[in-house]
mmCIF file with all atom_site columns, all heavy atoms in Angstrom:
data_model
loop_
_atom_site.group_PDB
_atom_site.id
_atom_site.type_symbol
_atom_site.label_atom_id
_atom_site.label_alt_id
_atom_site.label_comp_id
_atom_site.label_asym_id
_atom_site.label_entity_id
_atom_site.label_seq_id
_atom_site.pdbx_PDB_ins_code
_atom_site.Cartn_x
_atom_site.Cartn_y
_atom_site.Cartn_z
_atom_site.occupancy
_atom_site.B_iso_or_equiv
_atom_site.pdbx_formal_charge
_atom_site.auth_seq_id
_atom_site.auth_comp_id
_atom_site.auth_asym_id
_atom_site.auth_atom_id
_atom_site.pdbx_PDB_model_num
ATOM 1  N N   . GLU A 1 30 ? 160.512 120.248 177.570 1.00 47.00 ? 30 GLU A N   1
ATOM 2  C CA  . GLU A 1 30 ? 161.977 120.311 177.560 1.00 47.00 ? 30 GLU A CA  1
ATOM 3  C C   . GLU A 1 30 ? 162.489 121.314 176.547 1.00 47.00 ? 30 GLU A C   1
ATOM 4  O O   . GLU A 1 30 ? 163.430 122.054 176.805 1.00 47.00 ? 30 GLU A O   1
ATOM 5  C CB  . GLU A 1 30 ? 162.562 118.928 177.273 1.00 47.00 ? 30 GLU A CB  1
ATOM 6  C CG  . GLU A 1 30 ? 162.404 117.961 178.422 1.00 47.00 ? 30 GLU A CG  1
ATOM 7  C CD  . GLU A 1 30 ? 163.037 116.606 178.120 1.00 47.00 ? 30 GLU A CD  1
ATOM 8  O OE1 . GLU A 1 30 ? 163.540 116.421 176.998 1.00 47.00 ? 30 GLU A OE1 1
ATOM 9  O OE2 . GLU A 1 30 ? 163.030 115.756 179.013 1.00 47.00 ? 30 GLU A OE2 1
ATOM 10 N N   . ALA A 1 31 ? 161.831 121.327 175.366 1.00 46.00 ? 31 ALA A N   1
ATOM 11 C CA  . ALA A 1 31 ? 162.246 122.258 174.320 1.00 46.00 ? 31 ALA A CA  1
ATOM 12 C C   . ALA A 1 31 ? 162.033 123.698 174.755 1.00 46.00 ? 31 ALA A C   1
ATOM 13 O O   . ALA A 1 31 ? 162.874 124.569 174.529 1.00 46.00 ? 31 ALA A O   1
ATOM 14 C CB  . ALA A 1 31 ? 161.484 121.973 173.022 1.00 46.00 ? 31 ALA A CB  1
ATOM 15 N N   . ARG A 1 32 ? 160.870 123.952 175.414 1.00 42.00 ? 32 ARG A N   1
ATOM 16 C CA  . ARG A 1 32 ? 160.601 125.305 175.898 1.00 42.00 ? 32 ARG A CA  1
ATOM 17 C C   . ARG A 1 32 ? 161.604 125.706 176.970 1.00 42.00 ? 32 ARG A C   1
ATOM 18 O O   . ARG A 1 32 ? 162.104 126.817 177.012 1.00 42.00 ? 32 ARG A O   1
ATOM 19 C CB  . ARG A 1 32 ? 159.171 125.395 176.450 1.00 42.00 ? 32 ARG A CB  1
ATOM 20 C CG  . ARG A 1 32 ? 158.083 125.441 175.375 1.00 42.00 ? 32 ARG A CG  1
ATOM 21 C CD  . ARG A 1 32 ? 156.759 125.871 175.971 1.00 42.00 ? 32 ARG A CD  1
ATOM 22 N NE  . ARG A 1 32 ? 156.265 124.908 176.959 1.00 42.00 ? 32 ARG A NE  1
ATOM 23 C CZ  . ARG A 1 32 ? 155.517 123.854 176.669 1.00 42.00 ? 32 ARG A CZ  1
ATOM 24 N NH1 . ARG A 1 32 ? 155.178 123.620 175.413 1.00 42.00 ? 32 ARG A NH1 1
ATOM 25 N NH2 . ARG A 1 32 ? 155.081 123.052 177.623 1.00 42.00 ? 32 ARG A NH2 1
ATOM 26 N N   . ALA A 1 33 ? 161.918 124.753 177.856 1.00 43.00 ? 33 ALA A N   1
ATOM 27 C CA  . ALA A 1 33 ? 162.868 125.038 178.934 1.00 43.00 ? 33 ALA A CA  1
ATOM 28 C C   . ALA A 1 33 ? 164.249 125.329 178.382 1.00 43.00 ? 33 ALA A C   1
ATOM 29 O O   . ALA A 1 33 ? 165.001 126.146 178.923 1.00 43.00 ? 33 ALA A O   1
ATOM 30 C CB  . ALA A 1 33 ? 162.920 123.863 179.910 1.00 43.00 ? 33 ALA A CB  1
ATOM 31 N N   . ALA A 1 34 ? 164.600 124.658 177.310 1.00 48.00 ? 34 ALA A N   1
ATOM 32 C CA  . ALA A 1 34 ? 165.934 124.843 176.729 1.00 48.00 ? 34 ALA A CA  1
ATOM 33 C C   . ALA A 1 34 ? 166.048 126.105 175.903 1.00 48.00 ? 34 ALA A C   1
ATOM 34 O O   . ALA A 1 34 ? 167.139 126.516 175.535 1.00 48.00 ? 34 ALA A O   1
ATOM 35 C CB  . ALA A 1 34 ? 166.297 123.637 175.865 1.00 48.00 ? 34 ALA A CB  1
ATOM 36 N N   . GLY A 1 35 ? 164.907 126.724 175.614 1.00 53.00 ? 35 GLY A N   1
ATOM 37 C CA  . GLY A 1 35 ? 164.941 127.946 174.822 1.00 53.00 ? 35 GLY A CA  1
ATOM 38 C C   . GLY A 1 35 ? 165.537 127.738 173.450 1.00 53.00 ? 35 GLY A C   1
ATOM 39 O O   . GLY A 1 35 ? 166.227 128.587 172.918 1.00 53.00 ? 35 GLY A O   1
ATOM 40 N N   . GLY A 1 36 ? 165.299 126.556 172.861 1.00 53.00 ? 36 GLY A N   1
ATOM 41 C CA  . GLY A 1 36 ? 165.859 126.256 171.554 1.00 53.00 ? 36 GLY A CA  1
ATOM 42 C C   . GLY A 1 36 ? 167.237 125.655 171.607 1.00 53.00 ? 36 GLY A C   1
ATOM 43 O O   . GLY A 1 36 ? 167.810 125.315 170.593 1.00 53.00 ? 36 GLY A O   1
ATOM 44 N N   . ARG A 1 37 ? 167.820 125.536 172.811 1.00 62.00 ? 37 ARG A N   1
ATOM 45 C CA  . ARG A 1 37 ? 169.148 124.949 172.936 1.00 62.00 ? 37 ARG A CA  1
ATOM 46 C C   . ARG A 1 37 ? 169.044 123.433 173.034 1.00 62.00 ? 37 ARG A C   1
ATOM 47 O O   . ARG A 1 37 ? 167.964 122.873 173.172 1.00 62.00 ? 37 ARG A O   1
ATOM 48 C CB  . ARG A 1 37 ? 169.859 125.516 174.173 1.00 62.00 ? 37 ARG A CB  1
ATOM 49 C CG  . ARG A 1 37 ? 170.109 127.020 174.090 1.00 62.00 ? 37 ARG A CG  1
ATOM 50 C CD  . ARG A 1 37 ? 170.905 127.487 175.290 1.00 62.00 ? 37 ARG A CD  1
ATOM 51 N NE  . ARG A 1 37 ? 170.205 127.253 176.527 1.00 62.00 ? 37 ARG A NE  1
ATOM 52 C CZ  . ARG A 1 37 ? 169.322 128.091 177.057 1.00 62.00 ? 37 ARG A CZ  1
ATOM 53 N NH1 . ARG A 1 37 ? 168.989 129.197 176.421 1.00 62.00 ? 37 ARG A NH1 1
ATOM 54 N NH2 . ARG A 1 37 ? 168.751 127.818 178.216 1.00 62.00 ? 37 ARG A NH2 1
ATOM 55 N N   . SER A 1 38 ? 170.199 122.771 173.004 1.00 66.00 ? 38 SER A N   1
ATOM 56 C CA  . SER A 1 38 ? 170.235 121.317 173.087 1.00 66.00 ? 38 SER A CA  1
ATOM 57 C C   . SER A 1 38 ? 169.631 120.825 174.397 1.00 66.00 ? 38 SER A C   1
ATOM 58 O O   . SER A 1 38 ? 169.776 121.444 175.451 1.00 66.00 ? 38 SER A O   1
ATOM 59 C CB  . SER A 1 38 ? 171.681 120.824 172.985 1.00 66.00 ? 38 SER A CB  1
ATOM 60 O OG  . SER A 1 38 ? 171.756 119.446 173.264 1.00 66.00 ? 38 SER A OG  1
ATOM 61 N N   . THR A 1 39 ? 168.924 119.690 174.314 1.00 67.00 ? 39 THR A N   1
ATOM 62 C CA  . THR A 1 39 ? 168.418 119.044 175.525 1.00 67.00 ? 39 THR A CA  1
ATOM 63 C C   . THR A 1 39 ? 169.239 117.794 175.838 1.00 67.00 ? 39 THR A C   1
ATOM 64 O O   . THR A 1 39 ? 168.830 116.969 176.642 1.00 67.00 ? 39 THR A O   1
ATOM 65 C CB  . THR A 1 39 ? 166.935 118.655 175.351 1.00 67.00 ? 39 THR A CB  1
ATOM 66 O OG1 . THR A 1 39 ? 166.799 117.795 174.212 1.00 67.00 ? 39 THR A OG1 1
ATOM 67 C CG2 . THR A 1 39 ? 166.068 119.877 175.155 1.00 67.00 ? 39 THR A CG2 1
ATOM 68 N N   . VAL A 1 40 ? 170.402 117.660 175.200 1.00 75.00 ? 40 VAL A N   1
ATOM 69 C CA  . VAL A 1 40 ? 171.293 116.536 175.470 1.00 75.00 ? 40 VAL A CA  1
ATOM 70 C C   . VAL A 1 40 ? 171.730 116.582 176.935 1.00 75.00 ? 40 VAL A C   1
ATOM 71 O O   . VAL A 1 40 ? 172.046 117.643 177.473 1.00 75.00 ? 40 VAL A O   1
ATOM 72 C CB  . VAL A 1 40 ? 172.535 116.601 174.554 1.00 75.00 ? 40 VAL A CB  1
ATOM 73 C CG1 . VAL A 1 40 ? 173.598 115.602 174.990 1.00 75.00 ? 40 VAL A CG1 1
ATOM 74 C CG2 . VAL A 1 40 ? 172.126 116.325 173.111 1.00 75.00 ? 40 VAL A CG2 1
ATOM 75 N N   . THR A 1 41 ? 171.722 115.422 177.583 1.00 81.00 ? 41 THR A N   1
ATOM 76 C CA  . THR A 1 41 ? 172.028 115.383 179.014 1.00 81.00 ? 41 THR A CA  1
ATOM 77 C C   . THR A 1 41 ? 173.462 114.941 179.304 1.00 81.00 ? 41 THR A C   1
ATOM 78 O O   . THR A 1 41 ? 173.834 114.765 180.457 1.00 81.00 ? 41 THR A O   1
ATOM 79 C CB  . THR A 1 41 ? 171.062 114.429 179.737 1.00 81.00 ? 41 THR A CB  1
ATOM 80 O OG1 . THR A 1 41 ? 171.144 113.125 179.135 1.00 81.00 ? 41 THR A OG1 1
ATOM 81 C CG2 . THR A 1 41 ? 169.642 114.945 179.658 1.00 81.00 ? 41 THR A CG2 1
#
Side-chain angles (χ1 to χ4, degrees):
E30 288 182 357
R32 285 194 296 272
R37 297 184 299 274
S38 171
T39 57
V40 169
T41 57

